[in-house]
Amino acid sequence: MDISFASSERVSRRSAIIGRHLSQYPAYSLLPIDLSPCISYSPPEGSVKAAFDSQKLRQILDGHDVESRDWLFRLMEGSSLFCPQRRGGNRVFVLPDYDQSMDQQREMTMRRIQFLLEHGVFDGWLTGSGHEVELRRFALNECIGLYDHSLAIKLGVHFFLWGGAIQFFGTKRHHDKWLRDTENYLIKGCFAMTELGHGSNVRGIETVSTYDSNTQEFLINTPCESAQKYWIGGAAKHGTHTIIFSQLHINGSSQGVHAFIGQIRDPNGNIMPNVRIADCGHKIGLNGVDNGRIWFDNLRVPRENLLNSVADVLPDGQYVSSIKNPDQRFAAFMAPLTSGRVNIAVSSVYISKMAVAIAVRYGLTRRAFSVAPNDVEVLLLDYPSHQRRILPLIAKACAMSIAGNYLKKIFVNRSSDTSKMIHIYSSALKATHTWQNMKTLQECREACGGQGLKTENRVGLLKGEFDVQSTFEGDNNVLMQQVSKALLSEYISAQKKKKPLEGLGLEHMNSPYPVIPANLTSSAVRSIEFQNNIFFLRERDLLSRYANEVYEYQGQGESKESAVLLSYQLAEELARAFTERTILQLFAEVENSAAGPLKGVLGLLRSMYALICIEEDASFLRYGYLSLGNADAVRKEVMKLCGEMRPHALALVDSFGIPDSFLSPIAFDWIEANSWTCSNTRKVQHAFM
């Protein structure tokens, strides 16, 4: 039988069967489909008119150097080194290229530093003097951090840590030799404090330095693996010198932690003899910073390289210090390091502002679902639940800005008499601001939906970049425990001396206990009198409870140190109460100095900040500061405040002063930004290189 003939027969037979089957059904004509019009982008500016002057609010929130900030923003916008990309019509955004390898990101960080150096950004950062110079340095570093955290951290290590250590720990001989070359980046400085085995506990570091009177040199050694210097920014690739923190031993006696200047690379980039360096590797963020690990093997450092503002070693090996008490000497030695915490506290606020600005703008243009069939879909920010998620974050960002400005002010006006106060405030605000920043980034990421996952839209990426702020320059939990211990010390001292409390805003504890009305009205909940009183009540009661619990543990035979550790829960609650009360009072002072429509908006923000703090802290109900009925009144008032803040949302985020190019495509025409045409025409050429 012919196989090909049989196969053809089978195909014909099957075709006939399928044809008869299909002929049983009548043919239907295709009816036209009624398509809904495509979604289009509508700028929120066209439908909202600001009820207050957003530029005046920006002056309050930025606090200082507004023109310098804008100058630096324009400078970065104008250079191809800052990777400008055209997205959404003619709109250009600047954003680091995170598709680059770790080595490429590190190299770009250094190229950007060189560009900023050549354009005078760092002029006077270390060689200048006066409050204005310090405030300008803070302002410009905040702006740089908005572009890229790696760039800001690299500069922070070099100027604030390495340079700051020479300024504060060193004397004239160090200033003359090192500061100008540091400012001009002829030297690339690191700050080797953290070790594998010790982070927050600086006093316990294991690196050892001994003095050789024959050569008038210090020998610095890493005696064990846990003593290796760890996470040292700049050490893996670019650093030439570092501040080395070590335990100083003189004639077999330990004098505690001291700081030295050591060279780790020669001018050609070769690692110095008796120094070993390894790369910390890839991280969840900050891959533009070359973090490294360092070991010292009898590294010889000239006697003159001991930073000697607190203590010195004479040529014959005699140890001298004007501060005889080792604890006081250590405290004096650590006091200048608060600049790092100040820097972190204020920079985290700017990142929160960026995230909220992006989320608000997206929520004012993105629609989802309709209330009734055939109705227009509702804007995200018109949903009460979305308002409740996002609008309180605006109030917190504004409150933190005001607190950050106060922190900078007291820091630049520092003296030996205010060092303790600055330590307390910088610890409290660094912890509170960085924790809130991470909460803000997470909420805004979710509020932007899937678009929040895209790197170019920034919010999701920034979570990985800024997570580190919770633990560097002091673990947040440890810092807040230090705040509570300081408050406990003030409380015990006042009781022993039978004197009223004074300083740190604790004077309210000298007055009778505030009384909270049994049934709060809407106007009462919004009054600064109620808000102050409820915050005062919480703080003073928690301080009393904390002290009593410590006393109780001591009565059971625990040492004071152990009793404090066992009372950690009350310590955490007290530190939070102290910080939030401080921020509220600072906010109220700014509000009192304002006038007109701006004063009204500040009042809304202040009330939102206070009531959200009440809602978020279980201690108000746990210890009975609020009745269940009053807690419900607070909750309802927050909902009302959200509705009243909604018309001001765009003007409020505009007052943050962040240029459009530093936000992201979803903050503007997110439809055009994702169009086929736009996806293939991104890179922009600029005159500056």
Side-chain angles (χ1 to χ4, degrees), residues 87-89 362 451 454 456-457 665-666 669-680 682:
R87 304 284 273 115
Y362 188 58
Q451 290 295 324
K454 292 188 71 175
E456 69 174 9
N457 290 328
I666 58 167
D669 191 345
W670 42 272
I671 297 176
E672 177 61 25
N674 286 282
S675 68
W676 174 260
T677 303
C678 188
S679 298
N680 289 277
R682 291 191 176 189

Side-chain angles (χ1 to χ4, degrees), residues 11 135 203 256 327 420 425 436 471 575 577 629 678:
V11 170
L135 287 172
R203 184 171 271 178
D327 292 337
K420 182 178 179 180
Y425 280 129
Q436 180 59 35
T471 50
C678 188

Side-chain angles (χ1 to χ4, degrees), residues 187-207:
I187 289 169
K188 300 178 182 69
C190 306
F191 190 79
M193 175 183 282
T194 299
E195 296 179 354
L196 177 62
H198 290 88
S200 296
N201 182 18
V202 176
R203 184 171 271 178
I205 63 173
E206 297 173 287
T207 301

Side-chain angles (χ1 to χ4, degrees), residues 354-465:
M354 176 193 286
V356 174
I358 292 169
V360 165
R361 282 186 160 275
Y362 188 58
L364 287 170
T365 60
R366 180 69 155 84
R367 296 177 180 272
F369 305 105
S370 54
V371 176
N374 301 319
D375 276 2
V376 176
E377 289 183 281
V378 179
L379 289 172
L380 294 182
L381 205 58
D382 283 339
Y383 282 103
S385 59
H386 203 80
Q387 293 174 9
R388 176 60 182 78
R389 295 170 65 187
I390 299 300
L391 299 185
L393 301 179
I394 297 179
K396 285 214 168 183
C398 291
M400 292 191 304
S401 288
I402 291 167
N405 289 332
Y406 172 74
L407 181 58
K408 285 182 282 189
K409 179 181 176 182
I410 61 174
F411 178 78
V412 301
N413 288 285
R414 63 191 173 277
S415 67
S416 58
D417 294 334
T418 61
S419 61
K420 182 178 179 180
M421 174 186 72
I422 295 172
H423 170 72
I424 294 170
Y425 280 129
S426 65
S427 298
L429 293 176
K430 183 267 182 183
T432 301
H433 287 191
T434 55
W435 272 332
Q436 180 59 35
N437 183 40
M438 292 307 297
K439 292 178 183 177
T440 299
L441 289 170
Q442 180 63 34
E443 194 65 67
C444 291
R445 208 297 296 158
E446 293 181 27
C448 292
Q451 290 295 324
L453 294 175
K454 292 188 71 175
T455 299
E456 69 174 9
N457 290 328
R458 309 212 69 179
V459 181
L461 172 86
L462 293 174
K463 288 170 53 188
E465 287 288 309

Side-chain angles (χ1 to χ4, degrees), residues 420-621:
K420 182 178 179 180
M421 174 186 72
I422 295 172
H423 170 72
I424 294 170
Y425 280 129
S426 65
S427 298
L429 293 176
K430 183 267 182 183
T432 301
H433 287 191
T434 55
W435 272 332
Q436 180 59 35
N437 183 40
M438 292 307 297
K439 292 178 183 177
T440 299
L441 289 170
Q442 180 63 34
E443 194 65 67
C444 291
R445 208 297 296 158
E446 293 181 27
C448 292
Q451 290 295 324
L453 294 175
K454 292 188 71 175
T455 299
E456 69 174 9
N457 290 328
R458 309 212 69 179
V459 181
L461 172 86
L462 293 174
K463 288 170 53 188
E465 287 288 309
F466 283 86
D467 196 0
V468 66
Q469 287 192 336
S470 299
T471 50
F472 73 4
E473 295 297 316
D475 178 281
N476 283 355
N477 288 284
V478 174
L479 292 178
M480 291 299 258
Q481 288 178 24
Q482 290 180 5
V483 170
S484 292
K485 285 173 66 177
L487 296 176
L488 178 63
S489 177
E490 293 292 316
Y491 181 79
I492 293 173
S493 176
Q495 283 194 327
K496 285 182 177 179
K497 296 176 182 177
K498 297 183 179 180
K499 289 185 177 181
L501 283 159
E502 186 177 356
L504 299 172
L506 300 176
E507 291 83 358
H508 69 87
M509 297 188 185
N510 304 320
S511 303
Y513 263 75
V515 177
I516 306 302
N519 296 297
L520 290 168
T521 63
S522 176
S523 59
V525 168
R526 295 194 188 197
S527 69
I528 187 61
E529 180 183 8
F530 159 72
Q531 292 162 14
N532 273 336
N533 282 343
I534 196 71
F535 278 47
F536 291 164
L537 179 60
R538 173 181 57 160
E539 184 181 15
R540 68 188 298 166
D541 181 66
L542 286 172
L543 181 51
S544 176
R545 287 175 182 270
Y546 181 46
N548 289 335
E549 187 165 284
V550 170
Y551 291 149
E552 184 178 337
Y553 279 123
Q554 286 181 285
Q556 296 171 5
E558 299 286 350
S559 67
K560 181 180 179 181
E561 292 74 16
S562 179
V564 167
L565 292 175
L566 289 168
S567 303
Y568 71 94
Q569 289 179 312
L570 281 167
E572 291 171 359
E573 292 173 316
L574 171 60
R576 178 176 185 170
F578 165 78
T579 309
E580 290 178 350
R581 186 267 304 159
T582 298
I583 295 174
L584 176 63
Q585 287 186 309
L586 293 170
F587 206 141
E589 289 175 12
V590 169
E591 179 191 353
N592 288 338
S593 65
L598 181 57
K599 186 179 182 70
V601 169
L602 287 170
L604 285 178
L605 292 168
R606 183 254 305 154
S607 284
M608 178 66 88
Y609 170 76
L611 300 189
I612 284 296
C613 287
I614 293 172
E615 271 215 318
E616 291 177 345
D617 186 3
S619 67
F620 286 100
L621 285 174

